[in-house]
Amino acid sequence: MKSSLYPVQDLHRRALAWALKLKVNPRVVRVQTMRHKWGSCSSVGTVTLASDLLDQDVRFQDYVIVHELLHLRYATHGRVFRALMSAHVPGWQVMEAQRMRGGGMATKMNL
């Protein structure tokens, strides 16, 4: 993949591409500094991604993007949510376990 002069815009564009694939419609997708989380999804449909997510592996970025976008349909981490995570980001549980242990991927507290 080519390096971009506009990595924030690329992350935003990837999030919108995932939104189409997942058939969800975020009201807004923004990238900003977040001290304790990799991402969040508000009840009104705003998806926020941490700007330092850009320093992480693309697969981890996809994991966070898909996780937050799925919250537009499913508020909790129930069975259907987890099944969709597995369908779209195979092996996401490994990244989740690493994130929870603070190893490998960066160590923010919550998604």
Side-chain angles (χ1 to χ4, degrees):
M1 184 162 106
K2 285 195 312 191
S3 177
S4 172
L5 296 174
Y6 304 100
V8 170
Q9 289 85 347
D10 289 344
L11 185 63
H12 185 266
R13 201 171 6 259
R14 284 190 32 243
L16 293 177
W18 270 109
L20 283 173
K21 185 174 183 175
L22 297 170
K23 295 181 174 77
V24 296
N25 189 21
R27 197 186 100 216
V28 129
V29 174
R30 61 184 178 199
V31 179
Q32 70 181 44
T33 301
M34 297 179 80
R35 295 185 70 196
H36 300 288
K37 296 181 177 188
W38 289 113
S40 67
C41 179
S42 77
S43 60
V44 296
T46 299
V47 172
T48 305
L49 302 171
S51 55
D52 55 347
L53 193 56
L54 294 164
D55 299 330
Q56 300 299 313
D57 180 74
V58 173
R59 270 193 43 80
F60 185 74
Q61 292 174 12
D62 286 344
Y63 156 69
V64 173
I65 290 168
V66 171
H67 182 107
E68 298 309 335
L69 289 172
L70 283 176
H71 278 310
L72 294 171
R73 272 203 274 168
Y74 303 96
T76 67
H77 299 113
R79 186 171 23 112
V80 175
F81 180 93
R82 292 188 312 269
L84 287 169
M85 283 295 296
S86 294
H88 294 287
V89 187
W92 68 272
Q93 297 95 333
V94 173
M95 287 181 270
E96 175 78 5
Q98 288 174 329
R99 182 185 65 80
M100 295 303 281
R101 282 196 311 268
M105 307 292 168
T107 59
K108 289 195 174 180
M109 298 296 290
N110 301 309
L111 267 182

